[in-house]
Amino acid sequence: MNTHVRQDRQSPRGWKPYAVGAAVVAALLASTACRPAADDGAGTGGASGAPSTPSATGSATPGGAATTATPGDAPPATTGATPGSPAAPAALAACTVDDLAVSAVKEPAGGKENKHLLLTVQNSGDDTCLLHHYPHVRLGADARTTVPVIKDSDPDPGKPVSLAPGDEAHAALLVRGGARDEYEARSITLTLQGREPGSRAGGPIDVPMPAGPLYADDGQLVTYWTTASGLALDFITSR
Protein backbone atom coordinates (compact mmCIF):
# COMPACT_ATOMS: atom_id res chain seq x y z
CA MET A 1 0.00 0.00 0.00
CA ASN A 2 2.66 2.44 0.96
CA THR A 3 4.46 1.79 -2.27
CA HIS A 4 1.34 2.56 -4.33
CA VAL A 5 0.85 5.83 -2.54
CA ARG A 6 4.42 6.92 -3.24
CA GLN A 7 4.00 6.20 -6.93
CA ASP A 8 0.81 8.30 -7.11
CA ARG A 9 2.62 11.23 -5.49
CA GLN A 10 5.54 11.00 -7.94
CA SER A 11 3.31 10.93 -11.01
CA PRO A 12 2.52 14.72 -11.10
CA ARG A 13 6.23 15.50 -10.94
CA GLY A 14 6.64 13.32 -14.01
CA TRP A 15 4.32 15.32 -16.38
CA LYS A 16 4.46 18.88 -14.97
CA PRO A 17 7.53 19.99 -17.06
CA TYR A 18 5.82 18.91 -20.27
CA ALA A 19 2.68 20.91 -19.44
CA VAL A 20 4.71 24.10 -18.81
CA GLY A 21 6.63 23.62 -22.08
CA ALA A 22 3.40 23.26 -24.08
CA ALA A 23 2.05 26.50 -22.61
CA VAL A 24 5.20 28.40 -23.62
CA VAL A 25 5.03 27.03 -27.17
CA ALA A 26 1.38 28.07 -27.47
CA ALA A 27 2.21 31.59 -26.31
CA LEU A 28 5.05 31.85 -28.81
CA LEU A 29 2.82 30.67 -31.65
CA ALA A 30 0.17 33.26 -30.74
CA SER A 31 2.78 36.04 -30.63
CA THR A 32 4.13 35.00 -34.05
CA ALA A 33 0.66 35.00 -35.61
CA CYS A 34 0.09 38.64 -34.49
CA ARG A 35 3.45 39.87 -35.82
CA PRO A 36 3.80 41.12 -39.50
CA ALA A 37 5.61 38.82 -41.89
CA ALA A 38 9.39 39.14 -41.81
CA ASP A 39 11.01 41.42 -44.37
CA ASP A 40 12.07 39.33 -47.34
CA GLY A 41 14.31 42.07 -48.80
CA ALA A 42 11.72 43.40 -51.30
CA GLY A 43 10.42 46.20 -49.07
CA THR A 44 12.08 49.26 -47.62
CA GLY A 45 11.21 48.62 -43.94
CA GLY A 46 14.51 46.90 -43.13
CA ALA A 47 15.05 44.06 -40.68
CA SER A 48 13.16 45.86 -37.92
CA GLY A 49 9.85 45.32 -39.77
CA ALA A 50 8.93 49.06 -39.71
CA PRO A 51 6.60 50.01 -42.59
CA SER A 52 8.19 51.86 -45.49
CA THR A 53 7.23 55.47 -46.27
CA PRO A 54 6.92 56.63 -49.92
CA SER A 55 9.37 59.32 -50.99
CA ALA A 56 7.85 62.82 -51.13
CA THR A 57 9.63 63.51 -54.42
CA GLY A 58 8.72 60.30 -56.22
CA SER A 59 5.76 59.52 -58.45
CA ALA A 60 4.53 56.06 -59.26
CA THR A 61 4.66 54.76 -62.80
CA PRO A 62 2.57 51.97 -64.35
CA GLY A 63 5.53 49.58 -64.18
CA GLY A 64 5.91 50.07 -60.44
CA ALA A 65 9.10 52.17 -60.69
CA ALA A 66 9.30 55.65 -59.22
CA THR A 67 10.55 58.78 -60.91
CA THR A 68 12.28 61.26 -58.65
CA ALA A 69 12.16 65.02 -59.27
CA THR A 70 15.23 66.88 -58.14
CA PRO A 71 14.36 70.07 -56.20
CA GLY A 72 14.89 73.14 -58.40
CA ASP A 73 14.45 71.27 -61.66
CA ALA A 74 12.14 73.09 -64.10
CA PRO A 75 11.23 72.75 -67.78
CA PRO A 76 13.49 74.76 -70.09
CA ALA A 77 12.22 78.25 -70.90
CA THR A 78 10.81 78.81 -74.36
CA THR A 79 11.17 81.92 -76.49
CA GLY A 80 8.12 81.36 -78.67
CA ALA A 81 10.24 80.63 -81.72
CA THR A 82 11.20 77.19 -82.94
CA PRO A 83 14.27 76.31 -85.02
CA GLY A 84 13.70 77.34 -88.63
CA SER A 85 10.75 79.62 -87.81
CA PRO A 86 10.79 83.45 -88.13
CA ALA A 87 11.78 85.28 -84.98
CA ALA A 88 8.96 86.71 -82.91
CA PRO A 89 8.60 90.54 -83.24
CA ALA A 90 9.42 91.07 -79.57
CA ALA A 91 12.80 89.36 -80.13
CA LEU A 92 13.81 91.60 -83.06
CA ALA A 93 16.01 94.66 -82.60
CA ALA A 94 15.03 98.17 -83.62
CA CYS A 95 16.47 99.33 -86.94
CA THR A 96 19.46 101.67 -86.69
CA VAL A 97 21.44 103.84 -89.09
CA ASP A 98 23.75 100.88 -89.75
CA ASP A 99 20.82 98.84 -91.08
CA LEU A 100 19.27 101.35 -93.48
CA ALA A 101 19.73 103.27 -96.71
CA VAL A 102 17.70 106.51 -96.65
CA SER A 103 16.31 108.73 -99.41
CA ALA A 104 13.84 111.60 -99.91
CA VAL A 105 11.96 112.30 -103.15
CA LYS A 106 9.52 114.97 -104.20
CA GLU A 107 5.86 114.01 -104.70
CA PRO A 108 4.62 114.22 -107.33
CA ALA A 109 7.92 113.78 -109.10
CA GLY A 110 7.08 116.38 -111.77
CA GLY A 111 5.86 118.98 -109.27
CA LYS A 112 7.20 122.53 -109.31
CA GLU A 113 7.98 122.74 -105.60
CA ASN A 114 9.18 120.53 -102.78
CA LYS A 115 6.07 120.72 -100.64
CA HIS A 116 5.42 116.98 -100.25
CA LEU A 117 8.31 114.56 -99.71
CA LEU A 118 8.36 110.79 -99.43
CA LEU A 119 10.99 109.52 -97.01
CA THR A 120 12.08 105.95 -97.78
CA VAL A 121 14.30 103.60 -95.79
CA GLN A 122 15.56 100.26 -97.10
CA ASN A 123 16.97 97.49 -94.94
CA SER A 124 20.49 97.05 -96.30
CA GLY A 125 21.57 94.74 -93.49
CA ASP A 126 21.46 90.97 -93.12
CA ASP A 127 18.79 90.72 -90.41
CA THR A 128 15.17 91.71 -90.02
CA CYS A 129 14.68 94.77 -87.82
CA LEU A 130 11.79 96.86 -86.53
CA LEU A 131 10.75 100.43 -87.30
CA HIS A 132 8.88 101.87 -84.34
CA HIS A 133 6.30 104.67 -84.46
CA TYR A 134 7.41 107.46 -86.82
CA PRO A 135 10.69 109.27 -87.66
CA HIS A 136 11.80 112.32 -85.71
CA VAL A 137 12.51 114.75 -88.55
CA ARG A 138 14.21 118.14 -88.45
CA LEU A 139 14.13 120.43 -91.46
CA GLY A 140 17.20 122.69 -91.35
CA ALA A 141 19.91 123.03 -88.73
CA ASP A 142 18.00 125.83 -87.01
CA ALA A 143 14.71 123.92 -86.63
CA ARG A 144 13.29 124.59 -83.16
CA THR A 145 11.63 121.18 -82.83
CA THR A 146 10.98 117.92 -84.65
CA VAL A 147 8.13 117.68 -87.14
CA PRO A 148 4.77 116.81 -85.48
CA VAL A 149 3.12 113.52 -86.46
CA ILE A 150 -0.32 113.00 -88.02
CA LYS A 151 -1.76 110.82 -85.24
CA ASP A 152 -4.36 109.01 -87.33
CA SER A 153 -1.79 107.94 -89.94
CA ASP A 154 -0.70 104.87 -87.97
CA PRO A 155 -1.70 101.93 -90.22
CA ASP A 156 -1.57 99.37 -87.40
CA PRO A 157 -1.67 101.17 -84.04
CA GLY A 158 0.79 99.88 -81.49
CA LYS A 159 2.61 97.53 -83.87
CA PRO A 160 6.05 98.23 -85.40
CA VAL A 161 6.89 97.74 -89.05
CA SER A 162 8.96 94.58 -89.54
CA LEU A 163 11.59 95.21 -92.20
CA ALA A 164 13.29 92.16 -93.74
CA PRO A 165 16.58 92.54 -95.64
CA GLY A 166 15.91 94.40 -98.91
CA ASP A 167 12.43 95.62 -97.85
CA GLU A 168 11.37 99.28 -97.77
CA ALA A 169 9.21 101.42 -95.51
CA HIS A 170 7.95 104.98 -96.00
CA ALA A 171 6.89 108.10 -94.15
CA ALA A 172 5.37 111.08 -95.94
CA LEU A 173 6.48 114.60 -95.02
CA LEU A 174 4.54 117.83 -95.45
CA VAL A 175 7.19 120.55 -95.72
CA ARG A 176 4.85 123.53 -95.80
CA GLY A 177 1.34 123.71 -94.46
CA GLY A 178 0.68 127.45 -94.71
CA ALA A 179 2.33 130.86 -94.94
CA ARG A 180 3.69 130.91 -91.38
CA ASP A 181 7.33 131.72 -90.57
CA GLU A 182 8.67 130.32 -93.82
CA TYR A 183 12.38 129.61 -94.06
CA GLU A 184 14.77 127.78 -96.36
CA ALA A 185 15.84 124.38 -95.03
CA ARG A 186 19.28 123.30 -96.21
CA SER A 187 19.31 119.92 -94.50
CA ILE A 188 17.03 117.07 -93.44
CA THR A 189 17.87 114.85 -90.49
CA LEU A 190 15.95 111.78 -89.40
CA THR A 191 16.16 109.97 -86.05
CA LEU A 192 14.63 106.55 -85.52
CA GLN A 193 12.61 105.74 -82.42
CA GLY A 194 13.02 102.75 -80.14
CA ARG A 195 10.24 100.59 -78.72
CA GLU A 196 9.17 103.20 -76.17
CA PRO A 197 7.56 106.31 -77.73
CA GLY A 198 10.01 109.19 -77.73
CA SER A 199 13.08 106.98 -77.27
CA ARG A 200 15.89 106.93 -79.80
CA ALA A 201 17.45 104.07 -81.73
CA GLY A 202 20.79 105.61 -82.63
CA GLY A 203 21.79 109.12 -83.62
CA PRO A 204 20.46 111.41 -86.36
CA ILE A 205 20.71 110.32 -89.99
CA ASP A 206 21.50 112.85 -92.72
CA VAL A 207 18.92 112.48 -95.48
CA PRO A 208 20.05 113.37 -99.02
CA MET A 209 18.35 116.60 -100.13
CA PRO A 210 15.97 116.48 -103.11
CA ALA A 211 16.75 118.72 -106.09
CA GLY A 212 15.71 122.35 -105.79
CA PRO A 213 15.28 124.65 -102.80
CA LEU A 214 13.32 123.45 -99.78
CA TYR A 215 11.13 126.08 -98.14
CA ALA A 216 9.56 124.99 -94.89
CA ASP A 217 7.23 126.61 -92.39
CA ASP A 218 5.51 125.91 -89.07
CA GLY A 219 2.85 123.73 -90.72
CA GLN A 220 5.18 120.73 -91.15
CA LEU A 221 3.73 117.25 -90.57
CA VAL A 222 4.98 113.67 -90.88
CA THR A 223 3.24 110.27 -90.96
CA TYR A 224 3.91 106.98 -89.19
CA TRP A 225 6.07 104.38 -90.92
CA THR A 226 4.26 102.11 -93.35
CA THR A 227 5.17 99.73 -96.15
CA ALA A 228 2.47 101.30 -98.37
CA SER A 229 3.84 104.55 -99.83
CA GLY A 230 0.46 105.54 -101.32
CA LEU A 231 -1.22 105.30 -97.93
CA ALA A 232 1.37 107.61 -96.37
CA LEU A 233 1.08 110.15 -99.19
CA ASP A 234 -2.71 110.26 -98.93
CA PHE A 235 -2.39 111.95 -95.54
CA ILE A 236 -0.34 114.91 -96.83
CA THR A 237 -1.18 115.48 -100.49
CA SER A 238 -4.66 116.66 -99.57
CA ARG A 239 -3.22 119.38 -97.29
Side-chain angles (χ1 to χ4, degrees), residues 17-172:
Y18 296 98
V20 173
V24 172
V25 171
L28 290 174
L29 290 175
S31 175
T32 303
C34 295
R35 182 180 302 176
D39 186 12
D40 59 1
T44 58
S48 64
S52 61
T53 302
S55 170
T57 58
S59 59
T61 57
T67 58
T68 303
T70 303
D73 284 352
T78 58
T79 60
T82 56
S85 65
L92 297 175
C95 298
T96 67
V97 60
D98 297 327
D99 303 317
L100 305 176
V102 184
S103 64
V105 296
K106 178 173 58 178
E107 290 290 342
K112 294 181 179 180
E113 56 183 357
N114 293 331
K115 182 179 179 180
H116 306 123
L117 297 181
L118 183 66
L119 305 176
T120 300
V121 293
Q122 183 182 49
N123 186 349
S124 58
D126 297 325
D127 301 310
T128 299
C129 61
L130 298 179
L131 286 173
H132 294 279
H133 314 299
Y134 56 92
H136 285 156
V137 179
R138 286 183 180 270
L139 295 175
D142 298 328
R144 295 189 294 269
T145 185
T146 57
V147 179
V149 69
I150 302 174
K151 293 183 179 180
D152 59 353
S153 65
D154 192 350
D156 200 353
K159 294 184 179 180
V161 174
S162 180
L163 209 60
D167 286 353
E168 295 181 346
H170 314 276

Side-chain angles (χ1 to χ4, degrees), residues 6 12 55 61 69 72 95 182 187 191 210 233:
R6 286 196 298 271
S55 170
T61 57
C95 298
E182 186 174 293
S187 64
T191 304
L233 288 169

Side-chain angles (χ1 to χ4, degrees), residues 105 107 116-120 150 153 155 168-173 223-238:
V105 296
E107 290 290 342
H116 306 123
L117 297 181
L118 183 66
L119 305 176
T120 300
I150 302 174
S153 65
E168 295 181 346
H170 314 276
L173 176 64
T223 68
Y224 279 80
W225 291 114
T226 177
T227 54
S229 60
L231 177 62
L233 288 169
D234 285 343
F235 284 97
I236 66 164
T237 53
S238 59

